[in-house]
Amino acid sequence: MSENTNTATRVLIGECRLSYVHLFKPEVISEGNPAKYSVSIIIPKTNTELVEKIKAAIVAAYQAGVGTFGGKLPAKGTWKNPLRDGDVDRADDPAYAGAYFINASSKTKPGLVKKGTVSKFTEITDENELYSGCYGYVSVNFYAFSQSGNKGIGAGLNNVLKTKDGDFLGGRVSADADFDGLGDDVFNDGGVSDDDVF
């Protein structure tokens, strides 16, 4: 597998929603494969300009990968395309409805940043800040691969910029949402009210 450094294969994807976030420590996604940093990038189908840029970068990686493919480009439908249809491949997941998605990964830790207060960007070190459901921009480099009879275009994960929070995916809700309906009486020590004392 070889990664292409051609700028035509690089895309800044955003603003998009992040899912299956494994950005602080590498995880084994499928048995037999090495642990990698990874994220699923959800791209609204309505963002046609971004979708066309992604498609152009994939085509550039496909054409540049002729050597990786053994000197002959694989026929349509015989190679793995990283741009997948959420309405088809994740039909049971409402977060992917009306969207495309790309699973991007890297053996090395990506740069993780947010808007800074002193400088333009500041590093994200708190794992709770980047989660499945938040929004941001992801820098991706597409490259050709040919392994064990499988050919296609992979998505190399470069850097992530978080832009805003979003609802948690996977059924998790925030602590604020869970406890918002409770009154102040839950904070009385031992169930003793003010009336019991004064």
Side-chain angles (χ1 to χ4, degrees):
M1 178 172 62
S2 62
E3 293 200 23
N4 195 313
T5 57
N6 184 347
T7 55
T9 64
R10 288 180 172 269
V11 180
L12 185 59
I13 301 175
E15 183 177 57
C16 56
R17 197 170 191 194
L18 309 182
S19 184
Y20 296 97
V21 174
H22 303 286
L23 296 172
F24 288 91
K25 59 183 179 181
E27 301 278 345
V28 175
I29 304 301
S30 56
E31 191 175 332
N33 290 316
K36 290 184 177 182
Y37 300 91
S38 62
V39 65
S40 183
I41 307 164
I42 304 173
I43 306 141
K45 289 181 178 178
T46 53
N47 193 341
T48 54
E49 182 179 354
L50 176 58
V51 170
E52 289 308 310
K53 285 181 181 178
I54 293 168
K55 287 180 177 179
I58 292 170
V59 169
Y62 171 78
Q63 292 173 335
V66 64
T68 302
F69 295 139
K72 183 179 179 182
L73 294 174
K76 183 178 180 180
T78 64
W79 56 278
K80 180 184 174 185
N81 188 330
L83 184 64
R84 298 167 60 185
D85 190 332
D87 292 315
V88 175
D89 295 332
R90 294 276 170 85
D92 57 343
D93 191 336
Y96 288 79
Y100 291 109
F101 70 97
I102 293 169
N103 295 326
S105 63
S106 174
K107 292 179 183 177
T108 58
K109 186 176 180 180
L112 309 174
V113 297
K114 62 182 178 180
K115 183 179 179 182
T117 52
V118 177
S119 58
K120 188 170 184 177
F121 302 110
T122 186
E123 181 182 5
I124 297 175
T125 56
D126 183 353
E127 294 186 29
N128 294 316
E129 285 197 65
L130 276 172
Y131 55 87
S132 295
C134 70
Y135 292 82
Y137 285 75
V138 183
S139 172
V140 171
N141 182 56
F142 294 104
Y143 61 92
F145 69 85
S146 180
Q147 289 180 318
S148 307
N150 295 316
K151 296 181 179 182
I153 303 301
L157 175 61
N158 295 324
N159 301 295
V160 177
L161 167 66
K162 179 185 175 180
T163 54
K164 65 182 180 183
D165 288 311
D167 292 335
F168 289 103
L169 297 179
R172 181 183 167 197
V173 297
S174 70
D176 285 346
D178 259 346
F179 305 127
D180 186 53
L182 296 175
D184 288 338
D185 58 317
V186 301
F187 297 105
N188 288 331
D189 188 22
V192 178
S193 71
D194 292 346
D195 293 335
D196 295 325
V197 179
F198 299 103

